[in-house]
């Protein structure tokens, strides 16, 4: 399947439950459910440069196969995990090592490797 699929589970907290499963569930009993999307490589990477709050462009550590319309997450690079962000790709650089996103970033996402006492520590945000 090479198209978009949306699975929506309807109901509220007090909707009658199915025994064993609950009231909002996609379930298989005594079987296997395999859901697959298009294979994308790499599925994630890191920033190659810091992306500042208000930025629309991300410089990536490696070339990606992502396309316009893909939703990506940019991990928080500070103590507050709530500063992770989800954005939509609106353009991909020709060399595939950068993407433009919408909306603009709300927070800074660090993109450098630090060296302390001769040891390198990769501090770059995951994308």
């Amino acid at each position: 399947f090479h198209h978009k699929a949306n699975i929506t589970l309807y109901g509220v907290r007090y909707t009658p439950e199915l025994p064993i499963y609950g009231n909002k569930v996609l379930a298989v009993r005594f079987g296997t459910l395999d859901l697959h999307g298009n294979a994308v490589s790499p599925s994630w990477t890191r920033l190659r440069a810091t992306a500042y709050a208000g930025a629309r462009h991300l410089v990536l550590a490696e070339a990606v196969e992502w396309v316009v319309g893909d939703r990506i997450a940019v991990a928080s690079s500070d103590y507050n995990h709530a500063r992770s962000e989800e954005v939509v790709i609106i353009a991909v650089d020709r060399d595939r090592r950068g993407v433009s996103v919408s909306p603009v970033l709300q927070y800074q996402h660090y993109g450098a490797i630090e060296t302390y006492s001769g040891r390198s520590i990769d501090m770059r945000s995951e994308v």
Side-chain angles (χ1 to χ4, degrees):
F1 184 72
H2 296 282
H3 303 284
K4 183 177 182 178
N6 290 316
I7 298 172
T8 306
L9 303 176
Y10 292 96
V12 295
R13 183 176 184 181
Y14 302 106
T15 300
E17 296 183 3
L18 294 172
I20 301 171
Y21 299 111
N23 61 3
K24 290 180 79 173
V25 63
L26 176 63
V28 175
R29 187 166 183 177
F30 306 121
T32 302
L33 175 65
D34 285 319
L35 299 174
H36 304 274
N38 290 335
V40 177
S41 181
S43 58
W44 67 278
T45 187
R46 294 182 185 268
L47 292 176
R48 191 175 76 206
T50 298
Y52 295 94
R56 184 175 296 282
H57 190 262
L58 305 176
V59 180
L60 306 173
E62 59 190 310
V64 295
E65 294 179 3
W66 305 341
V67 296
V68 171
D70 283 352
R71 298 181 75 82
I72 59 173
V74 185
S76 175
S77 60
D78 69 17
Y79 66 91
N80 187 348
H81 67 86
R83 292 186 177 169
S84 296
E85 303 184 60
E86 185 175 322
V87 292
V88 176
I89 295 174
I90 58 173
V92 179
D93 291 359
R94 197 174 270 247
D95 67 0
R96 309 204 66 77
R97 291 182 180 270
V99 293
S100 295
V101 298
S102 179
V104 297
L105 297 177
Q106 297 285 314
Y107 308 104
Q108 176 179 306
H109 298 274
Y110 197 64
I113 298 172
E114 298 288 341
T115 303
Y116 299 99
S117 301
R119 299 184 105 177
S120 294
I121 302 172
D122 196 341
M123 305 288 289
R124 300 174 294 173
S125 287
E126 297 90 355
V127 183

